[in-house]
Amino acid sequence: MIAFRIDRRSGVATYLQLVHQVRQALRLGALEPGDRLPTAREVVAAIAINPNTVLRAYRELEREGLVEPRPGQGTFVRRSLSRAAAGADSPLRAEAVAWVARAREAGLEREDIEALTEAALDAEFQVSATGRAITPGAGRPATPGAGPAIPGTPATPAARPARTGDPPITAVHGGRHVTDPTVPTALRATGLGRRFRSRWALRDCEFAVPAGKITALVGPNGAGKSTLFHLATGLLHPTTGELSVFGATPGSDEARARTAFLAQDKPLYPRFTVADTLRFGRELNDDWDQAAAERIVRAGDIPFDARVGTLSQGQATRIALAVAFGKRPELLLLDEPLADLDPLVRIEAMGLVMEEVADRGTTVVISSHVLSELESVCDHVLLLKHGAVRLDGDVQRLCEAHVRFTGLADGSTEDGLPAGLDRDGVVEAAVTGRQVTAFVRGAAPAGDDWITETPSLEELLLAYLRSDRDARPGRNEAAA
């Protein structure tokens, strides 16, 4: 069975990395027709990514005719891409292994060998500016930045229009937020605002969080993220507009029964034992899943007779998550509950969340300042800034709806951007010496003088967070 690996810094979408690795295994003969691919839960348990990402990769492979789902059994390889010359026991494979061994004996590191390999491939199969292979000598050399983002992963695609069947992107630039009423929503805001005395924490917010997805809630401190969570749980009430939880009013019996909220401080009773804590959860919730809560505790090797106040931060987080999932929520709100954990414990806790989501299909809204970990776990993103929605939509389609380009600055314009470029679509632009780099929504400037690439989610979010453009109500960057 294939073992997936994810490079979280590559800038390549996680689902595309999975697709590429399956294709590679099919070409090398490591996977053959009839072999079963790992289930979403197995992948989540191994590398802590969003189960929906796994399913999306498998759907892509199914569209290509490479795999097929079998109800109740899993996803199986349908067609091989292997050629005899590339097999595990082929002479070419042996020559390649011997060449790598000689390169290592010569003192080259893995990165050096990968660079040499890429250079040799580019020389033999020249790459056009669009990143597509052409026959040797039939075109010009590769444009910088147009090749594979990292060795062994697929090329970063240029910005392209959304494909039929992709989830909708719901934000639009410079106008009112429009959502697709046919898409089930867990949270829906209409003209939502909350004021504290003379200060608006949120104002005129409109968005729809899709049900069954994992949404990243992003924004600088003071953007209104915690206020939104408190409104969604009924701890606060809107000053203007309305917010609904699966169509119900936050704080109502129906909404409370379907929602679990875990704050950063993880409010547990320190004198309670772990068993007392689970019993407390069982007594307060009619639809309690004791087996699931105990499974989460046992997986962390935490004694049930241990007092909560004696546990480490990572153990306390696991107990809090056990209580949250024991409630069997349809909507789980996580307000930076992993912020005080070390990196290894954060990965473990995030993997726990992903495993439970894979089993239950829970809708999750997670707030985090660690942008690098969001791309592999989130389907949807909602960015708040100055109390307003700045970005809202499907992660992959938002990235594909933007482009980053670099080139020679235009000396005739104040910002260095081409005179004919629509400034309304510019998210961020910076001039360094004679070079200009910009993030824009839509297409890059025409011509061959620009190096263009699709930004990663982290790059896109940072561009919006750094942008000094006015985030006044109604100015909502959304995907259409």
Side-chain angles (χ1 to χ4, degrees):
M1 183 180 294
I2 187 172
F4 291 115
R5 62 195 183 281
I6 298 300
D7 187 338
R8 302 178 192 276
R9 298 183 178 182
S10 69
V12 179
T14 303
Y15 90 96
L16 289 178
Q17 294 189 46
L18 300 182
V19 169
H20 174 75
Q21 289 171 39
V22 171
R23 290 187 189 131
Q24 187 177 49
L26 291 173
R27 291 187 182 281
L28 294 176
L31 283 176
E32 298 179 349
D35 289 345
R36 182 178 68 85
L37 297 184
T39 64
R41 181 177 176 82
E42 289 170 340
V43 177
V44 167
I47 55 178
I49 64 172
N50 189 329
N52 292 323
T53 300
V54 182
L55 297 177
R56 183 176 185 179
Y58 287 1
R59 286 195 299 270
E60 179 70 23
L61 292 165
E62 182 184 357
R63 280 196 291 266
E64 296 177 7
L66 299 177
V67 303
E68 61 181 359
R70 298 178 187 174
Q73 300 181 56
T75 300
F76 291 79
V77 174
R78 181 181 179 185
R79 180 166 59 90
S80 176
L81 297 176
S82 177
R83 298 184 181 183
D89 55 354
S90 70
L92 283 178
R93 177 77 172 266
E95 290 178 19
V97 170
W99 178 82
V100 171
R102 291 198 303 274
R104 293 193 64 184
E105 290 173 358
L108 298 185
E109 300 292 339
R110 181 188 182 100
E111 291 77 9
D112 302 320
I113 297 172
E114 288 174 340
L116 276 175
T117 303
E118 291 295 329
L121 290 172
D122 288 346
E124 183 65 24
F125 302 96
Q126 291 186 20
V127 181
S128 69
T130 61
R132 295 185 177 183
I134 56 178
T135 56
R140 54 189 180 184
T143 300
I150 55 172
T153 60
T156 301
R160 61 173 177 79
R163 297 172 299 186
T164 302
D166 281 345
I169 299 180
T170 57
V172 292
H173 170 68
R176 298 290 289 175
H177 184 309
V178 179
T179 59
D180 185 346
T182 65
V183 177
T185 59
L187 277 178
R188 185 182 293 275
T190 305
L192 180 65
R194 171 68 192 192
R195 184 172 62 188
F196 296 96
R197 296 185 180 180
S198 60
R199 183 182 69 86
W200 287 91
L202 294 171
R203 192 169 187 180
D204 290 345
C205 292
E206 299 202 10
F207 60 83
V209 172
K213 303 293 184 180
I214 300 178
T215 295
L217 180 60
V218 181
N221 292 330
K225 302 187 298 297
S226 293
T227 298
L228 177 56
F229 279 132
H230 291 163
L231 289 169
T233 54
L235 298 174
L236 291 176
H237 300 287
T239 304
T240 61
E242 61 182 28
L243 180 67
S244 64
V245 179
F246 294 109
T249 302
S252 66
D253 290 344
E254 180 184 353
R256 286 180 178 177
R258 305 174 75 174
T259 305
F261 173 48
L262 183 55
Q264 181 176 345
D265 55 0
K266 297 179 282 290
L268 299 171
Y269 291 97
R271 293 184 178 273
F272 278 18
T273 65
V274 173
D276 292 336
T277 302
L278 298 189
R279 179 184 176 187
F280 188 58
R282 183 174 68 247
E283 295 295 331
L284 291 179
N285 296 278
D286 295 332
D287 193 22
W288 178 259
D289 190 340
Q290 182 72 12
E294 290 182 356
R295 183 181 69 248
I296 293 172
V297 173
R298 289 194 179 94
D301 293 326
I302 303 173
F304 284 90
D305 59 355
R307 294 195 181 276
V308 171
T310 67
L311 302 178
S312 68
Q313 289 181 333
Q315 290 174 322
T317 297
R318 178 173 284 272
I319 300 304
L321 288 171
V323 175
F325 282 112
K327 185 178 179 179
R328 300 179 65 176
E330 295 178 48
L331 172 63
L332 177 60
L333 306 174
L334 301 175
D335 190 4
E336 298 193 66
L338 313 182
D340 56 351
L341 304 181
D342 66 62
L344 290 178
V345 179
R346 285 178 68 90
I347 293 174
E348 178 187 353
M350 186 62 73
L352 168 61
V353 173
M354 294 300 104
E355 286 184 50
E356 294 300 318
V357 169
D359 279 348
R360 303 167 183 263
T362 308
T363 302
V364 177
V365 180
I366 180 170
S367 172
S368 177
H369 287 293
V370 186
L371 302 184
S372 59
E373 71 182 14
L374 295 178
E375 188 153 14
S376 61
V377 300
C378 293
D379 308 291
H380 195 89
V381 65
L382 177 64
L383 189 150
L384 300 178
K385 190 173 181 181
H386 303 310
V389 178
R390 287 298 312 276
L391 195 64
D392 177 21
D394 173 81
V395 167
Q396 187 62 27
R397 294 187 63 198
L398 277 175
C399 291
E400 292 174 351
H402 293 74
V403 64
R404 178 177 62 187
F405 67 86
T406 304
L408 186 64
D410 189 335
S412 65
T413 61
E414 183 178 351
D415 55 13
L417 297 174
L421 183 68
D422 182 7
R423 267 42 177 194
D424 282 343
V426 177
V427 178
E428 180 190 40
V431 176
T432 305
R434 300 176 60 190
Q435 178 176 287
V436 62
T437 300
F439 284 85
V440 298
R441 187 181 59 86
D448 298 329
D449 299 328
W450 304 101
I451 299 174
T452 65
E453 57 185 336
T454 301
S456 68
L457 177 63
E458 182 179 8
E459 292 168 337
L460 183 63
L461 293 177
L462 285 173
Y464 273 94
L465 290 171
R466 287 192 302 255
S467 175
D468 58 1
R469 300 179 64 199
D470 183 17
R472 61 181 180 273
R475 195 178 182 87
N476 181 28
E477 307 285 348

Short mmCIF file of all heavy atoms in Angstrom, two decimals, residues 3-24:
data_model
loop_
_atom_site.label_atom_id
_atom_site.label_comp_id
_atom_site.label_asym_id
_atom_site.label_seq_id
_atom_site.Cartn_x
_atom_site.Cartn_y
_atom_site.Cartn_z
N ALA A 3 2.40 4.85 0.83
CA ALA A 3 2.52 5.69 2.02
C ALA A 3 2.73 7.13 1.54
O ALA A 3 3.76 7.45 0.94
CB ALA A 3 3.69 5.23 2.88
N PHE A 4 1.74 7.98 1.78
CA PHE A 4 1.81 9.36 1.31
C PHE A 4 2.74 10.19 2.18
O PHE A 4 2.93 9.91 3.37
CB PHE A 4 0.42 9.99 1.31
CG PHE A 4 -0.52 9.42 0.28
CD1 PHE A 4 -1.66 8.73 0.67
CD2 PHE A 4 -0.27 9.57 -1.07
CE1 PHE A 4 -2.53 8.21 -0.26
CE2 PHE A 4 -1.13 9.05 -2.02
CZ PHE A 4 -2.27 8.36 -1.61
N ARG A 5 3.30 11.22 1.59
CA ARG A 5 4.10 12.21 2.32
C ARG A 5 3.73 13.59 1.78
O ARG A 5 3.45 13.73 0.59
CB ARG A 5 5.60 11.94 2.14
CG ARG A 5 6.06 12.04 0.71
CD ARG A 5 7.43 11.44 0.47
NE ARG A 5 7.84 11.64 -0.92
CZ ARG A 5 7.40 10.90 -1.94
NH1 ARG A 5 6.52 9.93 -1.73
NH2 ARG A 5 7.83 11.14 -3.16
N ILE A 6 3.75 14.57 2.64
CA ILE A 6 3.32 15.91 2.26
C ILE A 6 4.43 16.91 2.56
O ILE A 6 5.00 16.92 3.65
CB ILE A 6 2.04 16.32 3.02
CG1 ILE A 6 0.89 15.39 2.66
CG2 ILE A 6 1.66 17.77 2.70
CD1 ILE A 6 0.52 15.37 1.21
N ASP A 7 4.74 17.72 1.58
CA ASP A 7 5.67 18.84 1.78
C ASP A 7 4.82 20.09 1.99
O ASP A 7 4.25 20.64 1.05
CB ASP A 7 6.57 19.01 0.55
CG ASP A 7 7.66 20.06 0.77
OD1 ASP A 7 7.47 20.92 1.66
OD2 ASP A 7 8.68 20.02 0.07
N ARG A 8 4.71 20.55 3.23
CA ARG A 8 3.82 21.65 3.57
C ARG A 8 4.38 23.00 3.18
O ARG A 8 3.70 24.02 3.30
CB ARG A 8 3.49 21.62 5.07
CG ARG A 8 2.86 20.30 5.51
CD ARG A 8 2.58 20.25 7.01
NE ARG A 8 2.25 18.90 7.44
CZ ARG A 8 1.05 18.36 7.38
NH1 ARG A 8 0.04 19.09 6.93
NH2 ARG A 8 0.83 17.13 7.78
N ARG A 9 5.62 23.04 2.71
CA ARG A 9 6.23 24.31 2.31
C ARG A 9 6.39 24.43 0.80
O ARG A 9 6.98 25.38 0.31
CB ARG A 9 7.60 24.47 2.98
CG ARG A 9 7.54 24.49 4.51
CD ARG A 9 8.91 24.72 5.09
NE ARG A 9 8.89 24.79 6.55
CZ ARG A 9 9.96 25.02 7.31
NH1 ARG A 9 11.15 25.18 6.73
NH2 ARG A 9 9.85 25.06 8.61
N SER A 10 5.89 23.46 0.08
CA SER A 10 6.15 23.42 -1.36
C SER A 10 5.35 24.44 -2.15
O SER A 10 5.73 24.83 -3.25
CB SER A 10 5.85 22.03 -1.91
OG SER A 10 4.46 21.77 -1.85
N GLY A 11 4.20 24.87 -1.60
CA GLY A 11 3.32 25.74 -2.37
C GLY A 11 2.40 24.97 -3.29
O GLY A 11 1.55 25.56 -3.96
N VAL A 12 2.56 23.63 -3.37
CA VAL A 12 1.71 22.79 -4.19
C VAL A 12 0.54 22.32 -3.35
O VAL A 12 0.73 21.85 -2.22
CB VAL A 12 2.50 21.58 -4.75
CG1 VAL A 12 1.59 20.69 -5.58
CG2 VAL A 12 3.69 22.06 -5.57
N ALA A 13 -0.68 22.44 -3.87
CA ALA A 13 -1.86 22.03 -3.13
C ALA A 13 -1.71 20.60 -2.64
O ALA A 13 -1.21 19.73 -3.37
CB ALA A 13 -3.10 22.17 -4.01
N THR A 14 -2.18 20.35 -1.43
CA THR A 14 -2.00 19.03 -0.82
C THR A 14 -2.65 17.93 -1.65
O THR A 14 -2.06 16.85 -1.85
CB THR A 14 -2.59 19.03 0.60
OG1 THR A 14 -1.95 20.06 1.37
CG2 THR A 14 -2.37 17.70 1.29
N TYR A 15 -3.85 18.18 -2.16
CA TYR A 15 -4.51 17.14 -2.94
C TYR A 15 -3.74 16.82 -4.22
O TYR A 15 -3.70 15.67 -4.68
CB TYR A 15 -5.97 17.52 -3.23
CG TYR A 15 -6.21 18.29 -4.49
CD1 TYR A 15 -6.59 17.65 -5.66
CD2 TYR A 15 -6.06 19.68 -4.53
CE1 TYR A 15 -6.83 18.35 -6.83
CE2 TYR A 15 -6.30 20.39 -5.68
CZ TYR A 15 -6.69 19.72 -6.83
OH TYR A 15 -6.92 20.43 -7.99
N LEU A 16 -3.09 17.83 -4.80
CA LEU A 16 -2.29 17.59 -6.00
C LEU A 16 -1.05 16.76 -5.67
O LEU A 16 -0.59 15.96 -6.50
CB LEU A 16 -1.88 18.92 -6.64
CG LEU A 16 -3.00 19.71 -7.33
CD1 LEU A 16 -2.47 21.03 -7.86
CD2 LEU A 16 -3.60 18.88 -8.47
N GLN A 17 -0.48 16.95 -4.48
CA GLN A 17 0.66 16.13 -4.08
C GLN A 17 0.24 14.66 -3.95
O GLN A 17 0.97 13.76 -4.36
CB GLN A 17 1.23 16.63 -2.75
CG GLN A 17 1.86 18.02 -2.83
CD GLN A 17 2.60 18.39 -1.57
OE1 GLN A 17 3.38 17.59 -1.03
NE2 GLN A 17 2.37 19.60 -1.07
N LEU A 18 -0.96 14.42 -3.41
CA LEU A 18 -1.45 13.05 -3.31
C LEU A 18 -1.67 12.44 -4.70
O LEU A 18 -1.28 11.29 -4.96
CB LEU A 18 -2.75 13.01 -2.51
CG LEU A 18 -2.71 13.51 -1.06
CD1 LEU A 18 -4.08 13.34 -0.42
CD2 LEU A 18 -1.65 12.79 -0.26
N VAL A 19 -2.29 13.21 -5.57
CA VAL A 19 -2.53 12.74 -6.94
C VAL A 19 -1.22 12.40 -7.62
O VAL A 19 -1.07 11.35 -8.26
CB VAL A 19 -3.31 13.81 -7.74
CG1 VAL A 19 -3.34 13.45 -9.23
CG2 VAL A 19 -4.73 13.96 -7.21
N HIS A 20 -0.25 13.29 -7.49
CA HIS A 20 1.05 13.08 -8.13
C HIS A 20 1.72 11.81 -7.61
O HIS A 20 2.31 11.03 -8.39
CB HIS A 20 1.95 14.28 -7.89
CG HIS A 20 3.35 14.10 -8.38
ND1 HIS A 20 3.69 14.15 -9.70
CD2 HIS A 20 4.50 13.86 -7.70
CE1 HIS A 20 4.99 13.95 -9.84
NE2 HIS A 20 5.51 13.77 -8.64
N GLN A 21 1.65 11.58 -6.31
CA GLN A 21 2.32 10.41 -5.74
C GLN A 21 1.66 9.11 -6.17
O GLN A 21 2.34 8.10 -6.36
CB GLN A 21 2.34 10.54 -4.21
CG GLN A 21 3.30 11.61 -3.73
CD GLN A 21 3.19 11.90 -2.26
OE1 GLN A 21 3.02 10.98 -1.45
NE2 GLN A 21 3.27 13.17 -1.88
N VAL A 22 0.34 9.12 -6.34
CA VAL A 22 -0.34 7.93 -6.86
C VAL A 22 0.07 7.70 -8.31
O VAL A 22 0.38 6.57 -8.70
CB VAL A 22 -1.87 8.07 -6.74
CG1 VAL A 22 -2.57 6.93 -7.48
CG2 VAL A 22 -2.30 8.07 -5.28
N ARG A 23 0.09 8.76 -9.11
CA ARG A 23 0.50 8.61 -10.51
C ARG A 23 1.92 8.05 -10.58
O ARG A 23 2.24 7.18 -11.40
CB ARG A 23 0.45 9.96 -11.22
CG ARG A 23 -0.95 10.50 -11.48
CD ARG A 23 -0.82 11.73 -12.33
NE ARG A 23 -2.06 12.46 -12.48
CZ ARG A 23 -2.18 13.77 -12.30
NH1 ARG A 23 -1.11 14.49 -11.96
NH2 ARG A 23 -3.33 14.38 -12.47
N GLN A 24 2.80 8.58 -9.72
CA GLN A 24 4.19 8.13 -9.73
C GLN A 24 4.28 6.64 -9.36
O GLN A 24 5.03 5.88 -9.98
CB GLN A 24 5.02 8.96 -8.75
CG GLN A 24 6.51 8.69 -8.81
CD GLN A 24 7.28 9.59 -7.87
OE1 GLN A 24 6.93 9.73 -6.71
NE2 GLN A 24 8.32 10.24 -8.38
#
